[in-house]
Amino acid sequence: MNKSPFLILNALFATIFFSCSEKETTSAPTSPIQELQFEVYDSIMVDALEILAVLDYLPSKDLYLMKELRKGNIFLVNGEGEIIDNRDIAGEGPDQIQMVAEGRFYGDEGYLFKEFSGTMDFSLYNLDFKKIKKFDGTLVELNSISIYNYKQSFSVFEEKGKPFIVGEENNSYSKVAIDHKKIGADFYNQANTGFIYDLDQDSVTYVNTYPEDWEPKKIQRWVGESFPFLSYNPKTKKVASLPTKGNQLGVYRLDGDQLVFETAVELSHPARDEFEASSEQDMVVYPGFSDIKAFGDYQLIQFYTAVPEDIYNGLRALGENFQSNPEYREAMIMYRKLRYIVVKGDQQIGILNELPVAGVVNLGLPDGTLIVKAADGEVERDYNLFYKIRLVEE
């Protein structure tokens, strides 16, 4: 395994430190806001000059699907960090797509990539990166554009031997037909911002992903589109839906081409409990959710802490281009911190204020592993260092 001496010492220190804390953590009374402990147990380093992100992992072959940020270079990397294959699939060629947004393994048979374009089509590739089929995208009308480096908006799953995609689609409705300015919070009942794609039948079913017990929907209070993030858990076969505002996570089961709502999980964290969602507030001053990832039996929910409103208003007074002001950047560093909530099944089991290593969570795995992209370091190629971390349990 390709590891530097610094990495080995760092991972060893993190493991020892969090292992020593395990007895205290697991013996504490169960509380939804108890501080959980995660440990580093392994890592891989990829010998590539490009800055990579992990798109997916295939346990049967111990392979990672990786991508160069904002480009079309796709990497296949084994569990030792060795590059098995590298292809550029962005372009105008017969086996290319316009611009690569995301990608997933298509079982053991190939890969499914989503392109970033006016139609957001999906393309199926075989193991030799030959395009064998194109599926029309799920976009109905362009309402918003989101570009993520370390997030997955769709998942591939199989039901009764048939392949499906489940995912998010913020552009799945017409603003003329569903206009929140006219219907207010009834938008949450009418806008189907998720989809299930039957790849065998080449048909898409749009589904409502605003949880039934999500407070703004339940009491019909408009807080903005608050488009939900979706997370499919291949271990539990459940789908979690997380609107960006509010305090509830929805849990669903898949039933053919439908999502069946089961329950809502109340979410809490000291850094966001005093905030109330509204439609007017800037997301910088509200600790809105930013991502959700399934790992083993768990869901990891992420959010950024808020900038105090008076501080933010003072920054806005600096002028029209206040976001390019050094004071703005300093304030973002000081106040905007990633925090985490951990859910298991139908309940929140704790929180995490800092990862055991500096970095960004790229992916969650069915065995309970979280893949963390290491923060930029002083050593060359540290930016292609990926830690494996897991929850410390009894």
Side-chain angles (χ1 to χ4, degrees):
M1 190 170 294
N2 189 9
K3 296 183 183 177
S4 68
F6 170 77
L7 166 60
I8 294 172
L9 288 173
N10 191 42
L12 179 60
F13 171 78
T15 302
I16 291 172
F17 177 81
F18 290 102
S19 295
C20 290
S21 304
E22 181 177 0
K23 183 176 181 181
E24 180 182 348
T25 302
T26 56
S27 62
T30 301
S31 164
I33 58 170
Q34 68 176 328
E35 178 78 17
L36 300 175
Q37 302 290 349
F38 282 72
E39 64 180 357
V40 176
Y41 75 93
D42 203 354
S43 62
I44 62 173
M45 184 180 285
V46 184
D47 188 10
L49 294 176
E50 299 85 357
I51 302 176
L52 306 181
V54 179
L55 299 176
D56 204 1
Y57 175 69
L58 186 62
S60 62
K61 295 184 178 180
D62 192 22
L63 281 179
Y64 294 91
L65 186 65
M66 298 190 182
K67 173 185 176 293
E68 182 180 2
L69 295 188
R70 299 182 181 86
K71 293 190 178 180
N73 290 329
I74 302 298
F75 292 76
L76 277 180
V77 178
N78 68 17
E80 301 297 315
E82 300 169 337
I83 298 173
I84 305 301
D85 205 345
N86 172 214
R87 307 289 181 99
D88 186 355
I89 65 169
E92 302 296 328
D95 293 316
Q96 293 182 310
I97 59 180
Q98 287 186 37
M99 184 176 176
V100 184
E102 299 175 54
R104 290 286 197 177
F105 282 106
Y106 189 74
D108 292 336
E109 304 170 14
Y111 322 95
L112 190 68
F113 293 101
K114 181 179 181 179
E115 70 179 30
F116 188 78
S117 67
T119 53
M120 304 288 191
D121 295 332
F122 295 90
S123 291
L124 180 61
Y125 285 72
N126 66 16
L127 294 175
D128 293 322
F129 286 93
K130 300 294 182 183
K131 190 194 298 187
I132 57 178
K133 189 171 183 179
K134 184 172 115 173
F135 299 94
D136 290 339
T138 53
L139 185 148
V140 173
E141 181 181 302
L142 188 60
N143 301 314
S144 64
I145 296 177
S146 299
I147 301 176
Y148 301 99
N149 288 329
Y150 306 113
K151 182 183 176 305
Q152 295 77 35
S153 70
F154 75 93
S155 296
V156 180
F157 71 96
E158 191 175 278
E159 184 173 309
K160 297 179 181 179
K162 295 177 59 177
F164 292 84
I165 305 173
V166 60
E168 311 158 16
E169 183 51 85
N170 299 345
N171 301 296
S172 61
Y173 64 94
S174 166
K175 283 191 173 181
V176 174
I178 304 176
D179 184 355
H180 71 79
K181 294 179 181 178
K182 296 179 180 179
I183 64 175
D186 195 39
F187 175 92
Y188 305 133
N189 298 313
Q190 297 189 36
N192 296 330
T193 56
F195 70 91
I196 298 175
Y197 208 136
D198 184 332
L199 298 179
D200 268 2
Q201 299 298 317
D202 203 1
S203 65
V204 178
T205 301
Y206 294 97
V207 292
N208 189 289
T209 58
Y210 291 100
E212 295 302 315
D213 289 339
W214 180 53
E215 185 179 5
K217 181 177 182 178
K218 196 171 183 178
I219 67 174
Q220 286 291 280
R221 181 167 62 90
W222 176 248
V223 295
E225 285 91 347
S226 196
F227 294 123
F229 298 114
L230 290 191
S231 172
Y232 170 70
N233 191 323
K235 183 175 181 181
T236 64
K237 309 297 184 184
K238 298 294 178 69
V239 174
S241 173
L242 179 71
T244 53
K245 293 182 178 180
N247 301 302
Q248 289 83 31
L249 168 77
V251 179
Y252 299 76
R253 62 179 172 85
L254 288 159
D255 184 9
D257 60 358
Q258 296 296 319
L259 282 181
V260 179
F261 177 73
E262 290 190 337
T263 188
V265 182
E266 290 294 323
L267 304 175
S268 177
H269 191 289
R272 70 186 310 274
D273 286 349
E274 63 186 48
F275 291 84
E276 183 174 351
S278 73
S279 60
E280 294 81 19
Q281 66 205 156
D282 191 294
M283 289 299 284
V284 175
V285 300
Y286 176 82
F289 296 119
S290 59
D291 199 3
I292 178 172
K293 296 189 186 298
F295 66 111
D297 295 317
Y298 308 94
Q299 298 281 356
L300 183 77
I301 295 163
Q302 305 180 44
F303 71 93
Y304 282 94
T305 54
V307 176
E309 197 161 0
D310 58 337
I311 299 292
Y312 184 63
N313 289 337
L315 293 170
R316 293 183 65 179
L318 294 174
E320 185 176 343
N321 297 319
F322 71 97
Q323 292 177 332
S324 61
N325 191 296
E327 289 185 40
Y328 177 83
R329 292 193 291 269
E330 291 171 7
M332 294 302 105
I333 293 172
M334 178 178 296
Y335 294 106
R336 297 276 283 172
K337 308 290 185 183
L338 264 174
R339 297 291 184 258
Y340 311 87
I341 296 171
V342 180
V343 169
K344 182 178 183 182
D346 61 356
Q347 63 180 332
Q348 177 178 320
I349 65 167
I351 64 173
L352 177 66
N353 285 319
E354 288 188 8
L355 298 172
V357 286
V360 179
V361 178
N362 273 208
L363 190 69
L365 306 185
D367 68 354
T369 297
L370 288 168
I371 305 295
V372 177
K373 175 72 176 297
D376 291 346
E378 297 179 359
V379 181
E380 186 179 4
R381 291 203 304 276
D382 260 7
Y383 47 77
N384 283 322
L385 171 62
F386 299 87
Y387 291 101
K388 298 180 181 181
I389 70 172
R390 61 190 172 196
L391 178 65
V392 176
E393 301 177 280
E394 289 185 6

